[in-house]
C-alpha cells in the first residue's frame, strides 16, 4: 500500500469519497468557519471547480459517481437539509424533492448514477430510502464495461 503525496491532503478534512475510477476525491473542509465540499484531482492535487455548491452550506456526506461526473451531497438552505446532485459535465444542478419532515443524514450515489441511497431521520428514527434517478439524470456510463 502506498500513501498519496502529502501535498494532496491537509488537516481538517472529513467525509472522503473516492470516484470509482480513482481519479477524483471529494472531501469536506472548513472554509470561513463552514463545512464546504471540495473536489480534488488525485494526480496533481488541484481543486476542481464546482459551479453550484459554493452556497447553501454546510455540506456533508459527499458521494461520487464512477468518473466523478456526478457529485451528490447534503447541503443546507436555512434550517432545511437537502440532498443535491451536481452534474459536472453538463453544469446542471438537481435537488431531490423529499416529502414530509424527513431530513437526509448520509447519502451514496451508485457508480453509474442510476440510484441514490439516502439515510433519513424522521420523527427520531433512522431509515434508508432508495431513489431511482434514471428519469432525472443521464447515467455515468464510463465504467468501461457493458451491460450491468
Amino acid at each position: 500500500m502506498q500513501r498519496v503525496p502529502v501535498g494532496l491532503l491537509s488537516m481538517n478534512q472529513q467525509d472522503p469519497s473516492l470516484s470509482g475510477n480513482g481519479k477524483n476525491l471529494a472531501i469536506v473542509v472548513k472554509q470561513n468557519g463552514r463545512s464546504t465540499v471540495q473536489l480534488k484531482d488525485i494526480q496533481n492535487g488541484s481543486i476542481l471547480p464546482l459551479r453550484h455548491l459554493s452556497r447553501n452550506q454546510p455540506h456533508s456526506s459527499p458521494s461520487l459517481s464512477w468518473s466523478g461526473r456526478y457529485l451528490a451531497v447534503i447541503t443546507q438552505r436555512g434550517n432545511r437539509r437537502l440532498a443535491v446532485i451536481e452534474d459536472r459535465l453538463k453544469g446542471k444542478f438537481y435537488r431531490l424533492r423529499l416529502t414530509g419532515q424527513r431530513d437526509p443524514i448520509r447519502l451514496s450515489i451508485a457508480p453509474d448514477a442510476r440510484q441514490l441511497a439516502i439515510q433519513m431521520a424522521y420523527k427520531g428514527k433512522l431509515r434508508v430510502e432508495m431513489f431511482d434517478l434514471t428519469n432525472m439524470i443521464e447515467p455515468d456510463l464510463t465504467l468501461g464495461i457493458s451491460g450491468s
Side-chain angles (χ1 to χ4, degrees):
M1 179 170 17
Q2 288 184 306
R3 293 186 66 166
V4 174
V6 177
L8 180 64
L9 302 175
S10 63
M11 301 301 284
N12 298 321
Q13 298 175 340
Q14 60 188 20
D15 283 345
S17 177
L18 188 61
S19 62
N21 64 10
K23 293 183 178 182
N24 298 312
L25 176 69
I27 53 173
V28 174
V29 299
K30 290 283 187 182
Q31 278 186 339
N32 301 322
R34 304 199 86 158
S35 296
T36 302
V37 70
Q38 275 186 355
L39 186 61
K40 293 190 175 190
D41 181 302
I42 293 290
Q43 289 193 332
N44 62 27
S46 65
I47 296 174
L48 302 173
L50 297 171
R51 295 181 190 178
H52 302 283
L53 293 171
S54 62
R55 56 185 190 273
N56 297 325
Q57 297 159 324
H59 299 144
S60 63
S61 190
S63 182
L64 290 166
S65 64
W66 179 263
S67 70
R69 172 182 176 173
Y70 295 106
L71 171 61
V73 68
I74 295 174
T75 187
Q76 191 159 335
R77 181 179 289 163
N79 291 332
R80 184 84 173 139
R81 292 169 56 89
L82 308 169
V84 299
I85 300 170
E86 180 165 323
D87 179 345
R88 297 180 44 249
L89 180 65
K90 297 213 173 178
K92 293 184 178 181
F93 185 72
Y94 303 93
R95 188 176 119 200
L96 273 75
R97 306 241 183 253
L98 304 175
T99 58
Q101 297 297 316
R102 301 176 312 183
D103 281 325
I105 304 298
R106 295 201 188 297
L107 56 72
S108 179
I109 196 164
D112 64 5
R114 292 181 181 178
Q115 293 182 319
L116 185 71
I118 304 177
Q119 179 186 26
M120 303 276 199
Y122 178 68
K123 294 185 178 182
K125 296 188 182 198
L126 297 176
R127 74 179 207 200
V128 174
E129 296 182 29
M130 298 293 298
F131 293 85
D132 181 354
L133 302 176
T134 56
N135 292 325
M136 186 173 162
I137 62 177
E138 295 175 5
D140 185 345
L141 296 178
T142 55
L143 294 169
I145 57 175
S146 60
S148 58

